[in-house]
Amino acid sequence: MEFSRRPRFNRSPSIHAIRLTDRDREILRLVHQHRFLRSSHIVTLVSGSSQHIVRRLQALYHHGYLERPRAQIDYYHQGGTHHMVYGLGKKGADVLALESAASKRKFDWSAKNRAVGRFFFEHALLASDVMVAVELAARQLPRVSVAPAETIPLPANSGLAHPLKWKVQANGRKLGVAPDRVFALDIADENGRHSRTVFFVEVDRGTMPVM
C-alpha cells in the first residue's frame, strides 16, 4: 500500500532505494521499443504477478527510470479505472545506452515524453495497442516470432537519416510520409526454413483527410 498514497505525476523524494533486476531492464527495453506503454501492456508482456509488476513500475517511475506523460492527466478527472501510461525516463535511457554502448541520444526522449501533446500521445498509444496485440498473438504460435524495426536490415547505400520516410506531393504541397510502426514476422516451416514478411503499420484515428 506504500505506493498508492504517492502522487501520480510528481516523484516522491522519500522512495526506498532499489537495485535494478533483469526484469526491470526488460521493462525499460520494452518501453523504449514502443515509446509509450500502458501498465496493462507491460503486465501482459513481462512474466510475474501483475500486482508486483505494477508496484515495480511505480518504483521505476519515482526513481526516474520511467516517465508518466502528463498528457494522460485528464483521464483521471473522468472517473472510472485507467491504466497508467509510461515512457522511458532519463535514468532508463542511461541504462540502455550503457548496455548497448550506443549514444544516449538514441534513447533519451525523457523531455519529449514529459511534454508530449495529447494528440500525438493518443496516436502513439494506439500504435502500441496494435503492436502489443501482434506480439501476444505471435507468442501463441510456436513457429512465429516478431522482429522489431531496429532488427530489420536496411539497404546499405540508402544514405538517409530516416530511410523509411519518403516525400509525396499532395494538393501542391510536399509532405513527408513515414509508417507509424514497422515490424517483421519470421515464420519457420516444418523443415526449419525461415521466411520473413515485413509490415508497415499506419494507425488511422480518422483525423486526417484521405486524398
Side-chain angles (χ1 to χ4, degrees), residues 23-24 26-28 30-32 34 36-50 53-54 56-57 60 66 83-87 132 136 139:
R23 183 164 59 186
D24 293 335
E26 181 184 2
I27 290 171
L28 297 179
L30 283 169
V31 172
H32 173 258
H34 292 281
F36 299 117
L37 285 178
R38 307 177 202 272
S39 59
S40 56
H41 289 149
I42 298 169
V43 165
T44 59
L45 292 170
V46 177
S47 61
S49 75
S50 59
I53 291 172
V54 168
R56 197 63 179 177
L57 291 172
L60 291 170
L66 294 175
H83 297 288
M84 185 65 72
V85 177
Y86 291 92
V132 170
L136 294 176
R139 290 184 183 185

Side-chain angles (χ1 to χ4, degrees), residues 54-69:
V54 168
R55 288 184 176 178
R56 197 63 179 177
L57 291 172
Q58 293 169 345
L60 291 170
Y61 165 71
H62 285 289
H63 279 286
Y65 292 98
L66 294 175
E67 293 289 348
R68 290 173 173 173

Side-chain angles (χ1 to χ4, degrees), residues 1-8 10 12 14 58 62 68:
M1 300 300 294
E2 174 189 359
F3 292 111
S4 63
R5 295 187 294 272
R6 298 188 184 280
R8 285 193 178 107
N10 291 295
S12 171
S14 60
Q58 293 169 345
H62 285 289
R68 290 173 173 173

Side-chain angles (χ1 to χ4, degrees), residues 8-9 39 68-69 72-85:
R8 285 193 178 107
F9 298 99
S39 59
R68 290 173 173 173
Q72 63 187 306
I73 287 179
D74 289 349
Y75 299 153
Y76 293 91
H77 300 301
Q78 298 173 0
T81 301
H82 302 280
H83 297 288
M84 185 65 72
V85 177

Side-chain angles (χ1 to χ4, degrees), residues 170-171 173 175 204-211:
N171 278 358
R173 298 169 57 197
L175 303 175
D204 184 1
R205 300 179 61 231
T207 56
M208 295 182 66
V210 178
M211 301 178 186

Side-chain angles (χ1 to χ4, degrees), residues 168-182:
V168 298
Q169 292 285 342
N171 278 358
R173 298 169 57 197
K174 183 177 288 188
L175 303 175
V177 178
D180 291 325
R181 294 288 189 276
V182 178

